[in-house]
């Protein structure tokens, strides 16, 4: 796979860069043989149909793509012509050279169409996505959950025992930086794309729902067999990461439409928050702009509905079939709030299930399918709490993510035909640098930051053995800091009254430090180092670290592009065996 990529890179022609057509799938795209994708050419200007020539490996495009392309004389809102073919497919694996010509407007791109082994290595795949999970989250979760004595960890996280590992390049097609849409889309389709895009290449027309599509894992499984699909998240189920399992849109914010796309594909299990986009606009709290009732639609389609942890257990035990669990109108609360502090929105949603319980119910349901399943579990709050630099909440959620992963690894022990993957989509700019010790003399909190030998060890305890510190606001805590931040007041303390809200908008529309934290003892103003239009810390470009165990996992090694992860998944499932 990597040798092929190098060959492709070396033969890529850089012709007519300034004024050339765009071709989707883009140059060096990797495409699962037989998968459906939209083929689109965007010419730089208006061209005549009779001047257009498109060949693939020297043959007319239609011969390779299975259908004739349609010529669009002038695209809507654009003073230029295009060619479009929906649901094209290339059956035969190999290297393909696509040559597009219309007068002076020429472009050549190369595709790597790959097949898979004939026989599957894995029956099930459990894909754990720690949103924004960086090295500091793992180290911090281990220190908080297990402790450390004389420099050695007093225990191991579940993810510490996964067998194989790869560095993952998370960049998008239009920037080195990235968001949770295009990154998870790369994991779930095998195609990189632009920031904010899901299951499509981002084209130049305005409509965010017409962009050239690529097949996602749910569609690939529906096309090739009878495996079940499950989606579990602590975010809204139509948020970017879970959406990438089912959706096609240039804009991740199109959440109402994403619910429609989810309904069209009907994954067997859908658990998380986000009920506001399921409710018709007449229902209080709805975020839909139409009268469609997707709670009704899903239940009429045979789903059992659960809206709190108790109901989820009951539905799970009732053996009822497909499950829709919506436990919050928006994103679910962090485990620090749900289990310990009862802040955030826990008073409004007091009985939200945790990621461990949701994973157990999903696995029990999906495992009933004799043909196997694909389950995606997202620890969304790791990212949601890293943005506002609420490191305690982010680390507690990393522990919860790891405990849910333990459930999956135990399942895999009983079912060795299961591939387990744990990976971030992207990282955050965060590091642990030592401890903060309240017992050091003086008022100046900065002087209480212990670095090098002065850091010593934090004094969290876990007397009840639940894997979480008994108390988050101990006297010697982890010192965790972001390397990028808006203006904010550093309080040096866990946020006991609810998630941190570091910056708020001023009358000029710029984000400034939230004065609500100004009077915390020892609080100091930190002047930001990112644009004033940004309200929270941002994603890092640093590689993510993927780990995996089980059949097929040995393919995860060295450095992989995020789009290459999909190839390992579909190879494990043998989704494109040789045509006989
Ligand atoms: Zn994020």
């Amino acid at each position: 796979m990597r040798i092929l990529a190098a060959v492709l890179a070396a033969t890529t022609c850089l012709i007519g860069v300034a004024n050339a057509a765009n071709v989707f799938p883009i140059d060096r795209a990797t495409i699962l043989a037989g998968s459906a994708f939209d083929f689109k050419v965007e010419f730089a200007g208006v061209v005549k149909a009779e001047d257009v020539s498109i060949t693939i490996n020297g043959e007319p495009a239609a011969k390779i793509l299975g259908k004739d392309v349609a010529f669009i004389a002038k695209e809507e809102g654009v003073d230029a012509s295009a060619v479009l073919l929906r649901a094209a497919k290339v059956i035969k694996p190999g290297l393909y050279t696509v040559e597009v010509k219309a007068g002076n407007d020429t472009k050549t791109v190369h595709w790597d169409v790959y097949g898979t082994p004939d026989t599957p290595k894995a029956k099930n795949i459990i894909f754990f996505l720690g949103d924004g999970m960086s090295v500091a989250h793992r180290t911090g979760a281990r220190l908080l959950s297990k402790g450390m004595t004389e420099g050695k960890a007093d225990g191991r996280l579940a993810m510490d025992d996964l067998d194989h590992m790869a560095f993952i390049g998370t960049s998008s097609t239009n920037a080195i930086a990235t968001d949770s849409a295009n990154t998870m889309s790369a994991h779930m389709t095998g195609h990189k794309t632009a920031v904010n895009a899901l299951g499509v290449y981002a084209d130049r027309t305005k409509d965010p729902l017409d962009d050239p599509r690529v097949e996602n894992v749910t569609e690939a499984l529906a096309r090739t067999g009878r495996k079940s699909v499950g989606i579990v998240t602590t975010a809204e189920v139509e948020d970017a990461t879970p959406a990438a399992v089912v959706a096609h849109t240039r804009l991740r914010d199109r959440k109402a439409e994403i619910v429609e796309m989810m309904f069209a594909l009907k994954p067997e299990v859908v658990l998380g928050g986000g009920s506001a986009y399921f409710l018709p606009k007449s229902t209080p709290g709805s975020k839909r702009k139409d009268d469609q009732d997707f709670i009704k639609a899903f239940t009429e389609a045979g789903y059992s509905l659960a809206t709190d942890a108790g109901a989820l257990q009951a539905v799970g035990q009732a053996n009822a079939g497909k499950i829709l669990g919506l436990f919050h109108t928006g994103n679910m609360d962090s485990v620090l709030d749900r289990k310990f502090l009862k802040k955030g929105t826990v008073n409004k949603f007091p009985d939200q299930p945790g990621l461990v319980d949701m994973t157990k119910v999903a696995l029990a349901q999906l495992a009933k399918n004799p043909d196997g399943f694909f389950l995606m579990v997202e620890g969304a709050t790791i990212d949601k709490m890293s943005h506002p630099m609420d490191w305690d909440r982010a680390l507690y959620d990393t522990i919860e993510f790891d405990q849910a992963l333990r459930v999956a690894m135990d399942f895999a022990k009983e079912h060795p035909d299961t591939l387990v993957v744990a990976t971030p989509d992207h990282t955050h700019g965060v590091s642990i640098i030592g401890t903060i010790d309240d017992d050091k003399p003086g008022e100046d909190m900065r002087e209480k930051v212990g670095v090098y030998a002065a850091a010593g060890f934090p004094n969290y305890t876990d007397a009840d053995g639940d894997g979480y510190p008994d108390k988050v606001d101990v006297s010697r805590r982890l010192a965790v800091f972001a390397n990028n931040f808006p203006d904010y007041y550093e309080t040096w303390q866990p946020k006991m009254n609810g998630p941190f809200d570091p910056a708020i908008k001023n009358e000029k529309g710029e984000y400034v430090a939230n004065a609500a934290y100004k009077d915390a003892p020892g609080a100091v103003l930190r002047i930001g180092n990112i644009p004033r239009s940004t309200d929270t810390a941002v994603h890092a470009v640093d590689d993510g670290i993927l780990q995996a165990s089980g059949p097929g996992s040995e393919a995860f090694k060295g450095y992989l592009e995020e789009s290459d992860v999909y190839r390992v998944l579909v190879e494990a499932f043998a989704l494109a065996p040789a045509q006989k």
Side-chain angles (χ1 to χ4, degrees):
M1 171 183 353
R2 274 181 295 283
I3 293 165
L4 216 51
V7 170
L8 285 170
T11 56
T12 298
C13 310
L14 294 170
I15 45 164
V17 169
N19 190 34
N22 295 318
V23 177
F24 304 112
I26 59 175
D27 193 30
R28 295 195 287 159
T30 50
I31 303 173
L32 174 66
S35 72
F37 62 88
D38 294 346
F39 173 69
K40 188 180 184 196
V41 180
E42 296 181 333
F43 293 104
V46 174
V47 300
K48 287 193 205 125
E50 59 267 31
D51 290 344
V52 173
S53 136
I54 303 173
T55 61
I56 301 179
N57 284 358
E59 308 228 48
K63 200 175 158 196
I64 306 290
L65 299 177
K67 295 187 231 176
D68 248 331
V69 299
F71 179 74
I72 303 164
K74 226 173 167 192
E75 283 204 279
E76 207 184 324
V78 186
D79 204 18
S81 309
V83 154
L84 181 64
L85 171 56
R86 298 281 183 196
K89 54 180 68 168
V90 180
I91 301 297
K92 215 171 136 240
L95 291 181
Y96 289 82
T97 300
V98 183
E99 290 184 284
V100 172
K101 232 182 256 168
N104 292 330
D105 201 351
T106 64
K107 175 98 171 185
T108 302
V109 302
H110 303 274
W111 297 337
D112 172 7
V113 177
Y114 59 90
T116 67
D118 291 347
T119 34
K121 297 177 214 168
K123 178 178 156 193
N124 314 308
I125 297 177
I126 310 176
F127 193 88
F128 267 71
L129 193 290
D131 204 304
M133 188 171 67
S134 316
V135 170
H137 292 108
R138 295 163 180 252
T139 308
R142 193 185 303 110
L143 284 166
L144 284 180
S145 178
K146 312 296 177 190
M148 174 172 278
T149 309
E150 294 179 318
K152 292 187 180 177
D154 292 333
R156 298 168 71 81
L157 298 173
M159 58 185 119
D160 293 336
D161 291 324
L162 291 167
D163 294 327
H164 298 280
M165 186 182 289
F167 275 57
I168 304 296
T170 67
S171 295
S172 49
T173 54
N174 59 339
I176 55 171
T178 194
D179 83 311
S180 290
N182 72 82
T183 48
M184 187 56 168
S185 188
H187 279 310
M188 294 294 103
T189 71
H191 294 259
K192 287 204 169 194
T193 184
V195 172
N196 292 328
L198 293 163
V200 297
Y201 283 103
D203 73 7
R204 64 187 171 189
T205 63
K206 231 176 147 195
D207 183 351
L209 297 166
D210 76 343
D211 297 63
R213 296 180 168 205
V214 291
E215 185 177 85
N216 59 45
V217 65
T218 306
E219 292 162 336
L221 292 175
R223 174 173 61 78
T224 56
R226 291 197 304 268
K227 286 191 195 296
S228 297
V229 172
I231 297 173
V232 172
T233 180
T234 53
E236 299 172 311
V237 298
E238 61 281 345
D239 197 29
T241 301
V245 186
V246 295
H248 301 281
T249 171
R250 169 71 181 90
L251 287 182
R252 55 183 284 178
D253 293 351
R254 300 304 283 258
K255 292 181 180 174
E257 288 91 348
I258 289 168
V259 169
E260 292 161 33
M261 295 175 198
M262 190 170 277
F263 182 67
L265 292 180
K266 296 188 182 59
E268 272 69 13
V269 179
V270 178
L271 305 177
S275 61
Y277 289 97
F278 283 68
L279 301 165
K281 71 169 192 273
S282 52
T283 306
S286 165
K287 287 190 172 173
R288 293 198 71 84
K289 293 188 175 73
D290 59 29
D291 293 314
Q292 296 191 76
D293 183 343
F294 279 94
I295 304 268
K296 196 166 158 233
F298 271 91
T299 46
E300 282 177 3
Y303 283 77
S304 299
L305 177 70
T307 57
D308 59 28
L312 179 63
Q313 288 312 324
V315 161
Q317 279 156 18
N319 212 3
K322 294 187 177 192
I323 306 173
L324 174 66
L326 296 172
F327 309 106
H328 200 291
T329 48
N331 295 316
M332 293 168 72
D333 285 291
S334 75
V335 68
L336 182 58
D337 290 312
R338 270 187 274 119
K339 246 179 140 83
F340 299 95
L341 303 179
K342 307 292 174 192
K343 300 291 182 185
T345 58
V346 170
N347 58 345
K348 258 182 95 180
F349 303 93
D351 191 25
Q352 302 168 52
L355 203 59
V356 172
D357 289 336
M358 291 197 285
T359 301
K360 282 181 182 165
V361 170
L363 278 176
Q365 177 58 31
L366 295 170
K368 291 174 195 159
N369 185 342
D371 292 317
F373 64 84
F374 176 83
L375 169 62
M376 192 289 293
V377 178
E378 183 198 20
T381 322
I382 300 169
D383 175 79
K384 306 265 182 231
M385 289 297 135
S386 294
H387 278 288
M389 304 176 289
D390 195 323
W391 302 118
D392 299 288
R393 284 181 172 78
L395 295 184
Y396 270 62
D397 266 274
T398 309
I399 296 173
E400 184 181 52
F401 177 77
D402 192 69
Q403 292 188 350
L405 175 63
R406 175 73 69 198
V407 171
M409 288 166 70
D410 288 346
F411 178 91
K413 246 182 242 159
E414 301 293 313
H415 305 83
D417 47 5
T418 303
L419 168 61
V420 178
V421 180
T423 182
D425 46 356
H426 58 77
T427 54
H428 274 273
V430 53
S431 271
I432 303 167
I433 56 142
T435 59
I436 299 171
D437 190 347
D438 286 342
D439 295 334
K440 282 192 182 146
E443 299 295 305
D444 187 354
M445 288 302 294
R446 185 169 161 186
E447 296 303 327
K448 300 186 187 215
V449 175
V451 298
Y452 299 109
F457 298 95
N459 59 358
Y460 302 99
T461 55
D462 178 18
D464 63 3
D466 66 353
Y468 298 95
D470 304 319
K471 224 164 91 90
V472 63
D473 55 340
V474 294
S475 62
R476 202 180 322 119
R477 305 174 292 279
L478 287 185
V480 190
F481 294 107
N483 63 16
N484 71 91
F485 39 86
D487 290 8
Y488 79 104
Y489 286 97
E490 176 58 61
T491 73
W492 320 93
Q493 302 287 347
K495 307 298 181 284
M496 304 302 283
N497 292 318
F500 192 27
D501 186 11
I504 52 171
K505 229 180 212 175
N506 69 7
E507 57 296 337
K508 284 195 281 181
E510 297 170 345
Y511 283 95
V512 295
N514 185 349
Y517 301 92
K518 193 176 166 190
D519 297 326
V524 293
L525 178 64
R526 291 188 85 183
I527 299 298
N529 61 359
I530 50 177
R532 294 177 182 84
S533 56
T534 311
D535 62 341
T536 63
V538 300
H539 299 169
V541 180
D542 308 0
D543 292 347
I545 295 179
L546 177 149
Q547 289 173 271
S549 278
S553 62
E554 63 284 349
F556 291 117
K557 58 186 173 184
Y559 173 82
L560 295 175
E561 296 296 344
E562 207 150 39
S563 44
D564 296 333
V565 172
Y566 186 70
R567 184 164 178 172
V568 178
L569 304 183
V570 297
E571 280 184 354
F573 273 163
L575 292 192
Q579 303 280 317
K580 303 246 163 63

